[in-house]
Amino acid sequence: MSGRLEHYYQRLLELHGLAPVSTTLQQLAEQLCCSRRHVRSLLGAMVQAGWLEWQAEPGRGKHSHLRCRVAQDAFRRHQARHLLAEGKLQQAVATVGASPEEISRFILSECGRVTEGERQLLRVPYYRPLPSLLPGQPLRRSEAHLVRQVFNGLTRVNEENGEVEPDLAHHWLAVSPLCWHFFLRPAVRFHDGRRLQAADVVASLQMASTLPLFQHLFQINALSSRQIEICLTSEDVHLPWLLAQTDAMIQPASCVHQKDLAGRHPLGTGPYQVAENSNERLRLLAFDDYFGLRALLDEVDIWMWPALAQQLELGERQVCGLEVSTMSDLAGDNQEMALEQGGYFLLYDPRSPQLRAEPSRRWLQQQLAPWQLMAAVPAGYRRYWAPAYSLLPHWLHAAPESDALLPVPEIRHLTLAYYEQQPEYVLLAEQVATRLRPFGIRVDCLELDYATWWRGEADADLWLGSVNFQAPAETGLAAWLLGTPLLRAVICGGDEACLARWQQQWQQGALAPVELMKAVMALGWLQPLFHHWLRLQGPAQARGVRLNNLGWFDFKSVWLKP
């Protein structure tokens, strides 16, 4: 009835506006193309909804008094809210019919907490679709966070203290440096109701063993329905931490090889299950059969609207979670800021003939130093940036500043690659091109999908990217350097023996992450640029909101105070 009632009220607005009118039931029946009896029912419902005033005069042919109370713009917003509640974002936007700026403000004003009876629902604005939420795939920061809400690993990392804790495995032990046993919890269920089997763990870890950091997983055996054996080809003191990473999270064995089919609607064992995932909306529902503590929020509803990034002058690092610090409609007491554990960086590709000479790279790094690029960046971005001297804000690995000008190299053209759907990259690429243009160097930009960028599968001289490390950030940084295909191709200048030596030393605990980063920076293939200030502000009623290193918050720990 609601949709039809809105249609009839819209018709009355078009005919009479907000001015009082004298009319009869018969005239209204003709105008609305329905019976007099149905008109009475419609008028009663509209009065009850507060949309109009109706003073009926008894007697056939007598004129009654009608006045519409809700103006066209306000009523369109009412209709749009109704459509948003049904997950019809594009229809809601079309109904509002306003400028992109007004639409963005409307969407943001509708985000925040919603209570439906006893259910608690949190609406979150976001600026791009999230089409693939599968372990073992190239995952950007937000996808990595969401995968952790949907899936579990044998272990997990405590976001508060960075320590490894039991997850699907309630206990583990190293039988020898090359043999580990993990003991599974009983009665764990996937979101479709099937029980977790040892075979699911074996299949998931066998898939992970094709990735660089997991290739030393020589053999994974199910010793019983509740005991898994992992045999290694080389010692790894970080194995319990490694098995908590998204690449090692557990799927049903039948889904491990169905990436294209399962990406949007994955099956995990985590506290939330994916109920809907389109280009407009991601709905996560609390999983009642979760083996841990049932999530406090019943639903997390993420709305995608690309214009949010442009209209609010915010990139991925701001429009995330409950990032609404510029949005007064959601202003609340829950505010938190933290300097990110990670940042933006440039990679100088050793496969480029123009960058093999170290003086060429050092000259470029001098011209593209973070303070040089920041000088011309609009204040809306720059106020949330801090120059980076390493990839973690508490490290200092960049070479001391020098006033000595290096000779200009014989470079006339460079290709800069970055991945799509990140507005700040376009801005930074323009600054790079502007800085190098006076020296006769043309910069062409190459926008890639994230998986292609992650693999380094493009003909590029420079690579622009960003990264955030989950706690403990130092361990995550080492794993990222040694496990990302693009980074593996770059950080040692193509020296595979150097890369293998670093990886073995790190796995054995003989190379600390800070020393690894120092060695990478010394070779000059990686240049840190900026750290961002991550900001989180939620409704005053939200409790348990804690900003994590990925710029989000653990959904299952949040609840809404009445």
Side-chain angles (χ1 to χ4, degrees), residues 81-149:
R81 290 188 189 99
H82 178 73
L83 291 167
L84 283 176
E86 296 179 347
K88 299 175 181 177
L89 181 59
Q90 293 296 338
Q91 292 182 39
V93 167
T95 300
V96 172
S99 67
E101 295 89 347
E102 292 173 307
I103 291 171
S104 294
R105 284 195 292 271
F106 168 71
I107 292 173
L108 292 165
S109 72
E110 294 302 309
C111 288
R113 77 175 187 94
V114 178
T115 303
E116 299 176 344
E118 294 297 316
R119 298 184 74 254
Q120 292 196 344
L121 183 154
L122 193 65
R123 288 173 174 162
V124 179
Y126 202 56
Y127 77 102
R128 63 177 176 85
L130 300 156
S132 183
L133 301 175
L134 278 182
Q137 304 303 303
L139 298 175
R140 293 172 67 168
R141 177 176 59 89
S142 293
E143 284 86 340
H145 168 77
L146 293 166
V147 164
R148 287 184 167 91
Q149 306 297 307

Side-chain angles (χ1 to χ4, degrees), residues 40-322:
R40 285 196 187 94
S41 175
L42 292 173
L43 293 174
M46 291 179 194
V47 169
Q48 188 174 5
W51 298 350
L52 57 75
E53 297 173 0
W54 171 251
Q55 296 177 355
E57 293 291 339
R60 194 171 188 82
K62 292 227 176 156
H63 281 65
S64 301
H65 302 285
L66 176 145
R67 184 174 75 88
C68 293
R69 298 181 59 188
V70 183
Q72 189 75 261
D73 288 346
F75 192 70
R76 282 177 180 164
R77 291 179 183 277
H78 163 80
Q79 290 177 297
R81 290 188 189 99
H82 178 73
L83 291 167
L84 283 176
E86 296 179 347
K88 299 175 181 177
L89 181 59
Q90 293 296 338
Q91 292 182 39
V93 167
T95 300
V96 172
S99 67
E101 295 89 347
E102 292 173 307
I103 291 171
S104 294
R105 284 195 292 271
F106 168 71
I107 292 173
L108 292 165
S109 72
E110 294 302 309
C111 288
R113 77 175 187 94
V114 178
T115 303
E116 299 176 344
E118 294 297 316
R119 298 184 74 254
Q120 292 196 344
L121 183 154
L122 193 65
R123 288 173 174 162
V124 179
Y126 202 56
Y127 77 102
R128 63 177 176 85
L130 300 156
S132 183
L133 301 175
L134 278 182
Q137 304 303 303
L139 298 175
R140 293 172 67 168
R141 177 176 59 89
S142 293
E143 284 86 340
H145 168 77
L146 293 166
V147 164
R148 287 184 167 91
Q149 306 297 307
V150 176
F151 291 92
N152 298 96
L154 290 179
T155 59
R156 66 168 173 249
V157 175
N158 185 307
E159 291 185 343
E160 297 289 332
N161 57 29
E163 295 181 357
V164 178
E165 299 177 339
D167 204 5
L168 292 177
H170 62 83
H171 181 73
W172 60 89
L173 60 90
V175 179
S176 74
L178 299 180
C179 182
W180 293 68
H181 286 187
F182 291 81
F183 301 88
L184 304 180
R185 296 182 188 275
V188 175
R189 293 189 180 276
F190 287 104
H191 297 148
D192 63 354
R194 76 179 89 173
R195 282 203 176 195
L196 172 73
Q197 305 291 332
D200 300 312
V201 178
V202 171
S204 297
L205 295 184
Q206 284 176 341
M207 175 60 71
S209 69
T210 63
L211 302 172
L213 281 189
F214 294 83
Q215 289 181 354
H216 60 316
L217 274 60
F218 171 64
Q219 200 166 23
I220 302 107
N221 303 312
L223 300 183
S224 72
S225 61
R226 297 189 188 178
Q227 186 175 356
I228 300 295
E229 178 185 61
I230 299 178
C231 300
L232 308 177
T233 57
S234 59
E235 182 180 359
D236 188 352
V237 299
H238 304 291
L239 184 64
W241 177 89
L242 193 65
L243 295 177
Q245 304 313 297
T246 55
D247 289 334
M249 291 189 170
I250 308 304
Q251 310 172 60
S254 59
C255 297
V256 166
H257 299 287
Q258 298 179 6
K259 301 180 184 65
D260 295 337
L261 297 176
R264 281 197 180 270
H265 295 89
L267 283 177
T269 56
Y272 284 91
Q273 57 186 320
V274 177
E276 178 183 343
N277 189 6
S278 67
N279 288 337
E280 299 177 5
R281 186 187 196 192
L282 172 63
R283 286 181 64 228
L284 300 176
L285 301 180
F287 181 40
D288 289 337
D289 289 334
Y290 178 55
F291 64 88
L293 295 175
R294 197 267 196 191
L296 301 177
L297 278 179
D298 297 289
E299 180 175 341
V300 178
D301 200 354
I302 302 175
W303 291 340
M304 288 76 168
W305 180 243
L308 286 174
Q310 286 79 15
Q311 301 306 326
L312 298 172
E313 294 188 343
L314 299 169
E316 179 181 12
R317 296 172 179 273
Q318 280 74 48
V319 183
C320 68
L322 289 179

